């Protein structure tokens, strides 16, 4: 069973009529909470939604009831309940509901609760479970049941005040004794059970314990409302309890507590209010420490820093912590800081020479915020995250959550930076709504057990619930999982929001690092980011025919590459350095031939032929098929190479036909800046193109009609990329 979303954009009012719009005068809700945890606040919100008046016992007291997650305990709750009931031993018409709070939500209102209780015709009703706890030897003493859950659960029960008083009046145990064992023994005493008229809610009409019953529950969506349904007994429980190891499953249901949704803010009136940043002066923005982590070779690092620079948040209110584990990227980090570092409030860098491991670097960054009273937020950002939304940081701050992540994932895949559920051993499990959330079919802010890659944390949370320095270590878990485990153990909720499109995550698989410009090889692994970096901003217009020129008959000229693509291809070739004249026997030609040998380097020499064919198929084929109707190409090629022209080396090319069906000729540098002269003359038409534009491609037929020559380069060095495509 899954962790389901915290919010659902139900654009309707609550089911107030069905659930009752006001708490009954004869109902008192009691709970125990020594601290106002996030679980407690969620309980209070659900109570407010359904108009329950809740009296909290023990708030501010020290908890001495033991660790109920590892051993039986909770006697302190019985003591506190006894003290409260001492004031009402004779109120035989008052019905008291006692429930846990940290792991409980209401699913309906007082009217339905009271109706179902009275239909049971008992004086005391306990929740029921399928598993016996804490003493299995008591199994034989339990009454047999025809259907339903057999064993008592102490996390939720209700009854008339006088009967409950009689039930707890003889409690004299210690605070860390077992409350469940105390109530179990009372129930298993036939005389007391009959005298106090105690029963169990066998069919979960009122109470739903998730421990041992997670698979019994589904969510029922109807007319903009949502309700947890017990499909085993066909009941709609009122009080949902994520007891035992199923507290996370409560988040699954708690995400769907019905709320009033407003169009203006996308927020809920019963949730914590948004922290509005609009209208604030720059110096009034909360101070944020951004922790940047480059933990492994990562493509598109300069683009990552450009997006960081473009975040719509005052830079004087941003502190930077950068951990770069990779020497490969040090020059890019240095370049960013040299040009832009002074714009930020402060900058701290841990470079490869520091030899700081992932977890330790993250602990250092978090502790920087923790130790500074001025640090209101800590924003953890991995270099593999592509934040396309410049308002991401502002949007997360405005959500006013202790920890919240923007939803990002691998493009075209279901992998993302959150988990909807955990398996029994604490690892990944898919929630039933995970796909809907990732694909944007359900929009909201979701309470989840695991986040990674990018998230915002409140500084106040780091200085309170998460004050221990080491958040990122665990014997058997990686840093991300260790962090989430430690956060969950301290009762702090993590959220993920998909209310906006924030961006995506790069695929780091198959990232080659043996080239000068490794990003060029990312066209398969990260095609969208490759396109953004390398493809000309006007290519889409050219694809539609708007910027396609025809300088000579059947010769088409259009933009395809940005300057950075041209520069990196040239630099990659010069870095490789093995320029040579093509020959028929040269293995570089892959079985093809050059009619006129050139000073060139072929794509197969630098291991780029697969990537180049992908480029031709994705970006050249659509233009070719649009310009030559009825022709279709798979962009197969025998020859694809970069040619270098120099006055003192090879300045021109004699007239020739290309060995191709069509040829692509892309200018890789600029006439008048990098070289003079050059160009191409088509002899049949006596037509020349003498001013090739950097990043623009010539597309022309290769055989028969387009006999051509390369015009002399008179100064500097000219580079072109030539592809003989056939068919």
């Amino acid at each position: 069973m899954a962790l389901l979303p915290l919010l659902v954009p139900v654009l309707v009012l609550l089911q107030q009529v069905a659930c009752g719009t006001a708490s009954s005068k004869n109902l008192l809700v009691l709970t125990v909470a020594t601290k106002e945890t996030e679980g407690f606040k969620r309980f209070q919100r659900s109570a407010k939604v359904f108009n329950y008046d809740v009296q909290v016992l023990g708030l501010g007291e020290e908890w001495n009831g033991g660790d109920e997650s590892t051993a039986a305990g909770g006697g302190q709750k019985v003591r506190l309940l006894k003290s409260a009931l001492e004031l009402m031993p004779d109120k035989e018409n008052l019905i008291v509901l006692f429930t846990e709070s940290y792991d409980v939500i209401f699913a309906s209102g007082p009217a339905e609760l009271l109706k179902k209780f009275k239909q049971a015709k008992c004086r005391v009703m306990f929740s029921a479970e399928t598993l016996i706890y804490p003493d299995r030897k008591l199994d034989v003493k339990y009454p047999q049941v025809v259907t339903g859950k057999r064993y008592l659960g102490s996390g939720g029960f209700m009854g008339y005040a006088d009967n409950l008083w009689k039930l707890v009046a003889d409690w004299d145990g210690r605070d860390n004794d077992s409350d469940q064992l105390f109530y179990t023994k009372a129930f298993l005493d036939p005389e007391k059970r009959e005298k106090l008229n105690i029963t169990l809610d066998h069919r979960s009409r009122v109470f739903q314990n998730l421990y041992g019953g997670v698979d019994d529950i589904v969510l029922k969506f109807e007319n903009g409302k949502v309700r947890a349904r017990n499909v085993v007994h066909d009941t709609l429980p009122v009080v949902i309890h994520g007891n035992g190891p199923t507290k996370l499953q409560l988040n699954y249901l708690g995400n769907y507590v019905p709320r009033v949704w407003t169009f203006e803010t996308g927020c809920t009136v019963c949730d914590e209010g948004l922290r509005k940043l609009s209208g604030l002066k720059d110096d009034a923005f909360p101070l944020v420490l951004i922790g940047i982590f480059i933990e492994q070779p990562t493509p598109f690092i300069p683009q990552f820093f450009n997006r960081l620079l473009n975040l719509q948040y005052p830079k004087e209110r941003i502190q930077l912590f950068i951990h770069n584990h990779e020497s490969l990227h040090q020059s890019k980090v240095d370049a960013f800081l040299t040009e832009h570092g002074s714009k930020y409030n402060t900058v701290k860098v841990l470079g490869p020479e520091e030899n700081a491991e992932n977890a330790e670097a993250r602990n250092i960054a978090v502790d920087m915020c923790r130790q500074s009273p001025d640090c209101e937020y800590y924003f953890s950002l991995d270099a593999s995250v592509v934040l396309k939304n410049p308002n991401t940081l502002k949007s997360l701050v405005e959500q006013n959550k202790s920890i919240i992540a923007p939803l990002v994932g691998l493009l075209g895949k279901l992998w993302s930076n959150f988990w909807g559920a955990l398996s029994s051993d604490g690892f990944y499990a898919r929630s039933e709504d995970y796909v809907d959330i990732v694909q944007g079919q359900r929009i909201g802010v979701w309470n989840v057990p695991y986040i990674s890659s990018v998230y915002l944390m409140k500084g106040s949370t780091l200085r309170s619930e998460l004050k221990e320095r080491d958040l990122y270590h665990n014997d058997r878990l990686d840093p991300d999982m260790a962090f989430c485990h430690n956060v969950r153990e301290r009762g702090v909720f993590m959220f993920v929001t998909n209310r906006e499109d924030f961006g995506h995550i790069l695929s780091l698989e198959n990232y080659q690092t043996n080239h000068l410009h490794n990003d060029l090889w990312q066209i398969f692994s990260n095609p969208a980011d490759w396109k953004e970096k390398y493809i000309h901003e006007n290519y889409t217009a050219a694809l539609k025919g708007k910027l396609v020129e025809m300088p000579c008959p059947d010769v088409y000229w259009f933009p395809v590459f940005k300057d950075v693509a041209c520069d990196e291809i040239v630099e990659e070739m010069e870095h490789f350095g093995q320029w040579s004249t093509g020959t028929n026997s040269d293995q570089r030609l892959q079985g093809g031939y050059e009619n006129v040998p050139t000073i060139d380097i072929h794509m197969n020499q630098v291991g780029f032929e697969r990537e180049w064919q992908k480029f031709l198929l994705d970006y050249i084929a659509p233009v070719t098929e649009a310009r030559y109707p009825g022709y279709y190409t798979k962009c197969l090629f025998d020859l694809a190479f970069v040619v270098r022209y120099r006055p003192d080396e090879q300045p021109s090319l004699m007239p020739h036909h290309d060995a191709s069906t069509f040829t692509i000729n892309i200018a890789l540098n600029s006439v008048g800046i990098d070289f003079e002269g050059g160009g191409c003359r088509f002899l049949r038409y006596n037509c020349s193109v003498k001013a090739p534009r950097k990043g623009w491609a010539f597309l022309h037929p290769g055989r028969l009609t387009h006999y051509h020559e390369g015009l002399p380069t008179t100064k500097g060095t000219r580079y072109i990329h030539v592809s003989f495509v056939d068919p």
Side-chain angles (χ1 to χ4, degrees):
M1 183 63 78
L3 294 174
L4 290 184
L6 169 67
L7 299 176
V8 160
V10 277
L11 308 178
V12 295
L13 293 178
L14 300 174
Q15 47 194 40
Q16 293 177 330
V17 175
C19 300
T21 58
S23 60
S24 169
K25 296 180 180 179
N26 293 325
L27 175 66
L28 173 64
V29 180
L30 298 177
T31 192
V32 170
T34 57
K35 296 180 179 179
E36 292 189 359
T37 65
E38 292 203 64
F40 173 76
K41 293 175 182 177
R42 176 185 56 192
F43 169 80
Q44 290 285 64
R45 289 197 301 271
S46 73
K48 182 179 180 181
V49 165
F50 294 109
N51 293 293
Y52 286 97
D53 291 326
V54 179
Q55 181 177 331
V56 182
L57 308 177
L59 198 58
E61 275 193 21
E62 182 178 354
W63 174 252
N64 297 311
D67 184 357
E68 296 178 90
S69 66
T70 58
Q76 186 171 349
K77 292 181 286 187
V78 187
R79 173 175 62 80
L80 291 169
L81 176 61
K82 178 180 176 180
S83 297
L85 291 174
E86 281 179 341
L87 305 176
M88 55 191 80
D90 300 323
K91 294 187 176 181
E92 59 183 25
N93 292 322
L94 176 64
I95 297 174
V96 175
L97 168 66
F98 181 85
T99 177
E100 303 278 12
S101 59
Y102 295 158
D103 52 5
V104 167
I105 59 170
F106 290 104
S108 186
E112 183 177 340
L113 176 80
L114 292 173
K115 177 182 178 181
K116 289 181 174 179
F117 172 69
K118 291 178 180 179
Q119 287 174 341
K121 300 186 183 304
C122 62
R123 299 287 294 181
V124 176
M125 173 191 287
F126 277 86
S127 65
E129 298 180 331
T130 57
L131 304 173
I132 187 171
Y133 181 83
D135 188 350
R136 293 184 179 181
K137 295 189 296 293
L138 296 176
D139 179 88
V140 296
K141 296 187 178 182
Y142 267 91
Q144 294 295 326
V145 296
V146 176
T147 183
K149 302 172 184 178
R150 185 181 174 200
Y151 305 110
L152 178 141
S154 63
F157 55 92
M158 63 188 301
Y160 291 93
D162 56 338
N163 289 65
L164 290 182
W165 163 247
K166 294 172 185 176
L167 176 64
V168 301
D170 56 352
W171 166 264
D172 59 359
R174 297 169 299 183
D175 278 0
N176 62 352
D177 285 344
S178 173
D179 63 328
Q180 182 141 330
L181 184 60
F182 170 74
Y183 292 126
T184 297
K185 288 182 176 180
F187 174 72
L188 294 180
D189 181 335
E191 182 178 345
K192 182 171 289 188
R193 182 169 69 243
E194 182 178 355
K195 181 179 180 180
L196 297 180
N197 194 6
I198 305 174
T199 190
L200 304 186
D201 185 19
H202 298 292
R203 298 177 58 242
S204 299
R205 299 185 73 243
V206 174
F207 301 100
Q208 176 66 56
N209 291 314
L210 294 180
Y211 186 38
V214 170
D215 293 336
D216 298 351
I217 293 294
V218 299
L219 292 180
K220 175 188 176 184
F221 293 86
E222 187 175 288
N223 298 326
K225 309 184 187 85
V226 63
R227 187 73 182 271
R229 176 185 289 276
N230 185 307
V231 293
V232 175
H233 303 296
D234 194 26
T235 56
L236 298 173
V238 178
V239 182
I240 314 294
H241 182 202
N243 53 323
T246 63
K247 289 180 175 61
L248 293 174
Q249 265 67 31
L250 181 70
N251 298 343
Y252 159 77
L253 299 171
N255 286 330
Y256 279 110
V257 173
R259 301 167 189 275
V260 177
W261 185 269
T262 64
F263 284 101
E264 292 76 19
T265 65
C267 140
T268 55
V269 296
C270 54
D271 201 10
E272 295 96 344
L274 295 182
R275 181 170 187 176
K276 287 291 187 181
L277 297 182
S278 58
L280 291 182
K281 295 182 179 179
D282 284 359
D283 59 3
F285 273 65
L287 184 68
V288 179
L289 171 63
I290 300 182
I292 296 166
F293 299 93
I294 310 173
E295 300 300 323
Q296 64 189 95
T298 304
F300 309 113
I301 290 295
Q303 287 67 41
F304 168 83
F305 281 117
N306 285 339
R307 287 187 292 271
L308 177 69
L309 192 67
N310 291 330
L311 281 178
Q312 297 300 300
Y313 203 93
K315 291 176 177 55
E316 61 269 25
R317 302 300 293 163
I318 294 177
Q319 299 176 331
L320 292 182
F321 172 92
I322 302 176
H323 178 233
N324 175 31
H325 191 262
E326 295 296 327
S327 299
L328 174 70
H329 298 310
Q330 190 59 48
S331 61
K332 301 178 182 70
V333 174
D334 292 342
F336 169 75
L337 292 178
T338 298
E339 186 172 358
H340 303 292
S342 61
K343 300 175 182 177
Y344 293 90
N345 185 287
T346 61
V347 177
K348 178 178 176 59
V349 180
L350 284 183
E353 71 283 355
E354 301 284 347
N355 203 30
E357 292 302 317
N358 188 349
E360 180 57 24
R362 293 178 188 273
N363 277 327
I364 291 172
V366 166
D367 204 47
M368 283 181 59
C369 183
R370 184 186 289 118
Q371 297 301 323
S372 172
D374 295 330
C375 181
E376 294 189 61
Y377 288 94
Y378 170 70
F379 187 46
S380 181
L381 179 60
D382 290 1
S384 58
V385 174
V386 180
L387 284 184
K388 303 285 286 185
N389 186 338
N391 291 310
T392 295
L393 183 54
K394 288 173 61 176
S395 296
L396 296 180
V397 169
E398 288 182 335
Q399 289 301 314
N400 200 25
K401 300 294 185 185
S402 293
I403 303 177
I404 187 168
L407 174 59
V408 290
L410 291 177
L411 289 176
K413 299 183 179 179
L414 293 176
W415 194 94
S416 76
N417 66 324
F418 84 97
W419 295 351
L422 296 180
S423 63
S424 58
D425 56 359
F427 290 86
Y428 174 80
R430 178 176 288 187
S431 62
E432 71 175 41
D433 62 347
Y434 176 82
V435 174
D436 287 339
I437 296 172
V438 171
Q439 294 181 341
Q441 300 302 310
R442 291 180 181 172
I443 304 295
V445 180
W446 319 101
N447 189 338
V448 297
Y450 173 89
I451 55 175
S452 66
S453 303
V454 52
Y455 47 86
L456 184 76
M457 306 169 64
K458 281 187 177 180
S460 58
T461 302
L462 292 174
R463 290 184 282 272
S464 53
E465 293 98 327
L466 302 179
K467 61 184 178 182
E468 293 84 358
R469 182 183 182 278
D470 192 354
L471 288 177
Y472 289 92
H473 280 109
N474 185 285
D475 291 340
R476 65 187 185 93
L477 302 175
D478 64 27
D480 285 333
M481 291 185 64
F483 167 76
C484 295
H485 170 80
N486 292 331
V487 167
R488 293 193 305 266
E489 287 297 301
R490 289 159 178 78
V492 178
F493 286 177
M494 292 172 284
F495 298 89
V496 67
T497 173
N498 65 344
R499 289 173 54 201
E500 299 178 46
D501 183 7
F502 294 102
H504 59 273
I505 298 178
L506 295 172
S507 171
L508 303 186
E509 295 182 5
N510 306 316
Y511 184 52
Q512 303 179 32
T513 59
N514 56 328
H515 307 285
L516 179 63
H517 295 294
N518 299 294
D519 292 354
L520 283 169
W521 275 257
Q522 286 293 294
I523 191 170
F524 286 104
S525 297
N526 294 289
D529 301 275
W530 194 93
K531 177 181 179 181
E532 180 183 4
K533 179 175 181 178
Y534 293 123
I535 297 301
H536 199 287
E537 54 273 10
N538 291 329
Y539 168 78
T540 302
L543 189 60
K544 298 176 181 178
K546 296 181 180 179
L547 286 177
V548 178
E549 301 179 15
M550 192 169 67
C552 297
D554 277 335
V555 176
Y556 297 100
W557 200 13
F558 59 94
V560 66
F561 273 150
K562 291 181 179 177
D563 284 358
V564 65
C566 300
D567 295 343
E568 290 190 6
I569 291 173
V570 169
E571 291 168 10
E572 195 69 44
M573 298 303 110
E574 290 290 0
H575 178 71
F576 181 73
Q578 297 181 26
W579 297 93
S580 57
T581 301
T583 64
N584 292 349
S585 62
D586 198 322
Q587 293 180 354
R588 296 174 303 126
L589 306 189
Q590 298 176 317
Y593 62 94
E594 300 175 45
N595 290 337
V596 181
T598 55
I599 304 299
D600 58 42
I601 295 175
H602 287 242
M603 295 299 95
N604 65 317
Q605 289 181 267
V606 294
F608 199 62
E609 65 272 30
R610 287 183 64 251
E611 289 76 12
W612 190 255
Q613 199 267 339
K614 172 72 170 171
F615 159 72
L616 293 176
L617 193 61
D618 287 354
Y619 298 101
I620 299 302
V623 178
T624 304
E625 293 170 3
R627 296 301 98 197
Y628 301 109
Y631 175 73
Y632 303 97
T633 177
K634 295 181 179 179
C635 284
L636 303 178
F637 61 86
D638 287 328
L639 297 176
F641 48 92
V642 173
V643 181
R644 184 173 72 185
Y645 292 104
R646 287 176 176 172
D648 59 348
E649 189 175 66
Q650 183 179 17
S652 62
L653 206 58
M654 60 184 291
H656 63 282
H657 282 293
D658 287 343
S660 65
T661 300
F662 68 89
T663 296
I664 294 294
N665 182 322
I666 304 175
L668 297 178
N669 57 349
S670 298
V671 64
I673 299 176
D674 303 307
F675 65 91
E676 293 180 4
C680 182
R681 176 173 175 258
F682 294 93
L683 280 71
R684 177 183 175 88
Y685 307 106
N686 192 25
C687 177
S688 299
V689 181
K690 295 184 178 181
R693 301 167 190 167
K694 184 177 181 180
W696 282 55
F698 281 114
L699 165 64
H700 64 81
R703 293 185 178 93
L704 190 61
T705 58
H706 282 66
Y707 192 59
H708 61 283
E709 63 181 337
L711 300 176
T713 298
T714 58
K715 183 179 180 179
T717 303
R718 177 190 177 203
Y719 298 92
I720 62 172
H721 197 300
V722 178
S723 301
F724 292 171
V725 184
D726 190 17

